[in-house]
Amino acid sequence: MNRNQEIDSIIEALQQFFPVKNKPYPLHEPLFAGNEWEYLKECLNTNWVSSAGPFVDQFEQHLITYTGIKHAVAVVNGTAALHICLLLAGVEPGDEVLIPSLTFVATANAVRYCGAVPHFVDNERTTLGLDPYKLGDYLKEITEVKVRGCFNKQTGRRIKALLPMHTFGHPVDIEPLEQLSIQYQLALVEDAAESLGSYYKGRHTGSWGMAAAVSFNGNKVITTGGGGAILTNDPKMAQMAKHLTTTAKLPHRWAFEHDQVGYNYRLPNINAALGCAQMEQIEERIEQKRNLANQYSTAFKQIKAVQWFAEPASARSNYWLNVLLLDNSFETRRDEILDALHNHGYLARPAWRLLHSLKPYLHCPRSDLTVAEQLERQIITLPSTPVQGGSHE
């Protein structure tokens, strides 16, 4: 089979799932198949549409029950959740925070909101997340642990936190990262924006760090329109998260007293109502996505140009986005393949552009990023809404 036939084979595989011609198939679409209309009408009928109301509390309880994490604080988006997590972790202006270069830009932006500096480290192929073993060797080389914390010998700055991200919903190998965080006195915060419904060694993502951020953007497994949440097992941290995200206002029947700089980050009740209806469907939604992933796995097995990415052995993934890895001989044709897919209505995407190559982050510290750079050339994400294709219609 020649190289153009391989591209045709990729398109033919997708046609099994998305057969309607001249119809665009987005990367991920929201699904509304439950009580969404009923709950939204209740908000309108009762006038509870803003940042207070019963659905906010219900939504937070849904998250607690589903993830097994003790506390949840609903906020306006996942980036706001990350920002607050880092503040709660003690990240201060001038600190460095270790993050993958292969992640959505919000991970780095949240670090900068704190006045801190992203420090980019490499990914691994088995999880698409941070490589704990390469990171361990790197920290051994460039850091010095003092009474006041871990310091970068090259820049003189404190390295305060470690911020792994569960890429496309696949859990990072977080247990050795947790061990590194203890060894080097780093606050461990999880960017779990994409991984609601994913588990590492039987524990839901977001339960390993001192805090975690989740996103409910319109393209996520469930959506509140825009929205996010802070997850933590620490009651004091949860209390402070709720305080900071409600403008740090002290409780009072009528007075406006604020005891520190806070943020207007609380999720409106009308968005939480949407989230409650979505959470009622989440187990079925995850099962549908895993079924689609299994079918994708079979469909792409015989195509030599690509490898379908399967969940890591230690994990159960939500398969938020299904991923193809191009063979080394095809990675230079990534954009050609994407063009061909788009021409047929399949709105596939590459990975994000590596953050260390973006203008705001060109001068940030970084480790060797060989694997992340190769993954950027090889990743193609596929339409992943479960009810769109094949036997799911």
Side-chain angles (χ1 to χ4, degrees):
M1 185 178 293
N2 65 39
R3 294 163 70 84
N4 289 331
Q5 287 175 322
E6 288 285 297
I7 296 177
D8 290 340
S9 295
I10 296 171
I11 293 169
E12 289 169 4
L14 284 169
Q15 286 172 339
Q16 299 176 41
F17 303 93
F18 311 105
V20 181
K21 293 183 179 181
N22 301 318
K23 174 183 177 180
Y25 291 100
L27 201 62
H28 203 287
E29 292 182 294
L31 300 174
F32 304 113
N35 291 314
E36 286 88 353
W37 276 113
E38 178 183 343
Y39 294 168
L40 291 176
K41 288 176 181 177
E42 182 176 335
C43 291
L44 297 176
N45 289 337
T46 61
N47 284 335
W48 285 103
V49 297
S50 194
S51 57
F55 282 115
V56 177
D57 294 336
Q58 290 177 37
F59 183 52
E60 290 173 343
Q61 188 57 53
H62 273 299
L63 293 171
I64 291 167
T65 301
Y66 181 72
T67 65
I69 300 171
K70 294 180 181 178
H71 304 279
V73 178
V75 294
V76 291
N77 55 55
T79 310
L82 268 181
H83 180 203
I84 296 299
C85 285
L86 291 169
L87 291 177
L88 294 172
V91 174
E92 298 177 351
D95 285 342
E96 293 180 8
V97 177
L98 298 162
I99 70 171
S101 188
L102 179 65
T103 182
F104 183 55
V105 70
T107 312
N109 288 348
V111 174
R112 292 298 295 135
Y113 296 166
C114 299
V117 180
H119 187 147
F120 299 111
V121 290
D122 209 5
N123 296 69
E124 63 171 343
R125 295 185 68 85
T126 56
T127 69
L128 305 180
L130 279 182
D131 185 334
Y133 303 103
K134 190 171 183 178
L135 177 60
D137 291 340
Y138 181 63
L139 291 176
K140 185 177 180 180
E141 175 188 348
I142 68 145
T143 65
E144 181 180 5
V145 178
K146 303 179 182 180
V147 174
R148 294 181 293 115
C150 178
F151 287 81
N152 185 337
K153 292 188 292 186
Q154 298 173 350
T155 65
R157 292 188 289 254
R158 180 176 66 163
I159 303 177
K160 177 58 181 176
L162 173 59
L163 180 54
M165 190 269 252
H166 303 289
T167 312
F168 304 127
H170 296 295
V172 70
D173 190 5
I174 200 165
E175 197 166 48
L177 290 173
E178 180 187 43
Q179 294 167 1
L180 283 176
S181 72
I182 295 169
Q183 180 180 352
Y184 287 93
Q185 300 182 26
L186 306 171
L188 180 61
V189 174
E190 293 178 63
D191 184 343
E194 302 169 356
S195 64
L196 186 69
S198 296
Y199 294 81
Y200 175 89
K201 295 187 177 180
R203 283 171 58 179
H204 197 283
T205 55
S207 63
W208 295 80
M210 60 191 307
V214 183
S215 171
F216 309 112
N217 190 27
N219 64 353
K220 295 301 189 293
V221 174
I222 71 155
T223 185
T224 57
I230 299 156
L231 306 178
T232 182
N233 286 313
D234 185 328
K236 291 183 179 179
M237 187 168 287
Q239 184 178 20
M240 181 55 70
K242 188 161 290 191
H243 184 57
L244 286 176
T245 57
T246 50
T247 67
K249 183 179 181 298
L250 298 174
H252 194 280
R253 287 192 302 168
W254 45 262
F256 289 90
E257 293 290 340
H258 305 262
D259 62 354
Q260 57 186 296
V261 175
Y263 303 88
N264 190 15
Y265 279 176
R266 285 290 277 164
L267 185 71
N269 192 60
I270 195 167
N271 295 86
L274 194 63
C276 287
Q278 294 267 291
M279 283 299 296
E280 291 170 357
Q281 307 164 61
I282 188 167
E283 291 185 0
E284 179 184 1
R285 189 75 51 83
I286 297 295
E287 193 59 33
Q288 289 175 332
K289 290 185 69 62
R290 289 182 60 81
N291 287 340
L292 176 60
N294 287 335
Q295 293 182 45
Y296 265 153
S297 174
T298 301
F300 287 101
K301 188 172 294 183
Q302 304 303 321
I303 302 176
K304 295 180 180 180
V306 297
Q307 172 194 345
W308 181 80
F309 184 83
E311 63 191 0
S314 60
R316 179 178 171 85
S317 176
N318 66 8
Y319 284 102
W320 171 55
L321 292 185
N322 287 277
V323 174
L324 293 181
L325 295 175
L326 297 178
D327 183 78
N328 292 347
S329 63
F330 270 80
E331 63 182 40
T332 59
R333 302 186 71 187
R334 185 200 69 180
D335 290 357
E336 179 186 349
I337 294 169
L338 287 167
D339 276 338
L341 293 175
H342 277 244
N343 289 341
H344 284 79
Y346 308 126
L347 306 186
R349 298 292 165 85
W352 312 280
R353 184 173 168 186
L354 296 184
L355 299 191
H356 74 277
S357 69
L358 297 180
K359 183 178 178 180
Y361 300 114
L362 288 174
H363 302 293
C364 292
R366 70 191 71 159
S367 71
D368 172 78
L369 298 169
T370 302
V371 176
E373 289 166 349
Q374 185 176 42
L375 288 171
E376 181 188 33
R377 297 191 298 268
Q378 294 181 327
I379 286 174
I380 289 179
T381 55
L382 301 175
S384 297
T385 306
V387 298
Q388 284 182 326
S391 63
H392 297 284
E393 288 194 329

